Amino acid sequence: MELVERIKKLKAERNAVILAHNYQLPEVQDVADFVGDSLGLSIQASRTSADLIVFCGVYFMAETAKIISPEKTVLIPDARAGCPMADMITADQLRYLKSRHQGAKVICYVNTTAAVKAECDLCCTSANAETIVRKTFRDDEEVIFVPDQYLAAFVAARTGRDFVIWKGFCPTHARILPEHVKEQKRLHPEAAVIVHPECRPAVIELADQALSTEGMCRFSRESAALQIIVGTEIGMLHRLRKENPGKTFYPATELAVCPNMKLTTLEKIVWAMEEMTHEVDVPEEIARKARVSIDRMLEVN
Ligand code: 13P
Ligand code: SF4
């Protein structure tokens, strides 16, 4: 309680807003002003009138907030909170891929570094990837989709396109296996199944829907299903259970934990705001180019 009170006081003193991703620890989600998916958090960052954004998520998300709102101070409570998938492709590797496919358009998942975004035509999240691909690219255009091979495969299947892909993946979602989903379905035959598009294709095939984390919240609110099996990082269950007290949620597997998302704690949020520490900064030239790909995403969205 004391920590929560200190956070509230610091928030008022600093004119701060706390943004938290759906995978954050329950107590961090509960203290946040806004909890959402990557897209929702980007939109909130672009709209807030706060001077300070305390970003409880992983580094690429905080970086995206800084790129969109360069005049604001963006803090990440633990600077080690990276995303292994985002680190699976570097700007040099992408430049090499582009040199092998000259003239191809490049779309990157928001789970990328700012330097990689700076090399892309536009950016997408799991919530809007399909729409963006449909609205942006001509049928005869070659398109490079990085870095998540599974999201690329999912969008390819939905749109009937072929992409030049990169073999990146999310180690947390890769831990969810078809066997896990099948076992949960056996235990809860009435339950609907929702999974994240970062899951393996064999897992997605078993699901009723593949959705972004915010899409999962919407589905859970609107669906008639009273039991839902959830194939994503287990932090998601806190919000689903809180918002839908009459429904029962089962994780596809308790193994789906993103250690980076769990690095943010209430203590570190207090420390960040007291010391104004780990400020997120993006070199101006990279930020300017990366912003073009993020702005295009927000426009199409
Ligand atoms: P969402 O944009 O669906 O919240 O996903 C972000 C993410 O990192 C999933 O692993
Ligand atoms: Fe990155 Fe996967 Fe963690 Fe999402 S769950 S932040 S994609 S490592």
Side-chain angles (χ1 to χ4, degrees):
M1 233 6 235
E2 199 211 327
L3 286 171
V4 174
E5 288 313 314
R6 277 167 75 185
I7 290 170
K8 282 188 186 156
K9 194 162 163 279
L10 282 159
K11 248 176 34 174
E13 282 169 14
R14 303 256 192 230
N15 187 26
V17 67
I18 300 181
L19 305 183
H21 187 265
N22 286 318
Y23 297 161
Q24 289 287 294
L25 291 170
E27 60 272 26
V28 171
Q29 294 192 31
D30 292 346
V31 87
D33 297 291
F34 181 84
V35 183
D37 67 356
S38 310
L39 179 63
L41 294 170
S42 304
I43 294 171
Q44 288 298 319
S46 69
R47 289 186 184 158
T48 180
S49 58
D51 298 314
L52 175 67
I53 298 174
V54 181
F55 209 107
C56 305
V58 291
Y59 208 86
F60 76 80
M61 297 178 177
E63 226 177 27
T64 305
K66 180 67 187 177
I67 293 166
I68 296 173
S69 301
E71 71 294 350
K72 298 193 193 329
T73 303
V74 178
L75 301 179
I76 185 157
D78 191 319
R80 295 167 305 164
C83 167
M85 183 208 283
D87 294 333
M88 283 181 191
I89 187 164
T90 64
D92 271 349
Q93 287 170 319
L94 181 52
R95 277 191 286 269
Y96 176 73
L97 194 60
K98 282 163 66 174
S99 74
R100 301 287 304 271
H101 297 273
Q102 298 212 0
K105 291 279 163 54
V106 186
I107 182 165
C108 67
Y109 191 21
V110 70
N111 297 40
T112 41
T113 61
V116 166
K117 288 188 181 77
E119 289 293 326
C120 296
D121 293 299
L122 89 171
C123 176
C124 69
T125 75
S126 59
N128 59 24
E130 182 185 338
T131 309
I132 292 208
V133 165
R134 284 189 195 282
K135 285 194 181 168
T136 310
F137 304 118
R138 290 195 321 265
D139 287 349
D140 61 343
E141 258 171 340
E142 188 175 32
V143 178
I144 299 172
F145 194 135
V146 295
D148 185 4
Q149 60 180 305
Y150 297 140
L151 179 64
F154 173 69
V155 177
R158 305 273 306 183
T159 58
R161 295 192 73 106
D162 260 344
F163 297 115
V164 176
I165 60 150
W166 189 255
K167 290 265 178 174
F169 64 96
C170 162
T172 298
H173 284 87
R175 301 187 92 173
I176 305 172
L177 301 177
E179 292 73 9
H180 295 136
V181 179
K182 282 182 193 157
E183 176 60 5
Q184 287 304 317
K185 282 175 103 160
R186 192 185 64 76
L187 293 170
H188 314 291
E190 303 293 310
V193 181
I194 51 176
V195 302
H196 197 275
E198 286 175 18
C199 289
R200 299 164 185 274
V203 168
I204 294 181
E205 266 174 37
L206 297 170
D208 295 299
Q209 291 206 34
L211 300 160
S212 78
T213 59
E214 201 57 35
M216 290 181 174
C217 293
R218 197 179 331 108
F219 177 94
S220 302
R221 258 193 321 270
E222 293 172 1
S223 162
L226 293 176
Q227 299 178 58
I228 304 179
I229 297 164
V230 183
T232 194
E233 209 278 343
I234 57 164
M236 187 72 229
L237 295 168
H238 173 65
R239 191 170 152 202
L240 294 177
R241 287 175 176 148
K242 193 169 156 182
E243 291 182 352
N244 304 279
K247 299 187 178 181
T248 311
F249 295 90
Y250 306 103
T253 168
E254 301 273 358
L255 294 173
V257 179
C258 175
N260 295 285
M261 283 285 184
K262 307 304 181 211
L263 286 172
T264 307
T265 60
L266 293 183
E267 286 86 350
K268 288 180 196 169
I269 296 175
V270 170
W271 186 39
M273 283 202 279
E274 275 179 351
E275 304 291 325
M276 292 297 280
T277 191
H278 309 297
E279 190 168 343
V280 175
D281 226 343
V282 183
E284 215 177 297
E285 182 60 10
I286 289 179
R288 191 181 55 75
K289 288 190 191 157
R291 182 162 186 155
V292 175
S293 65
I294 298 168
D295 280 348
R296 282 193 189 133
M297 167 182 84
L298 294 174
E299 270 163 36
V300 177
N301 204 66

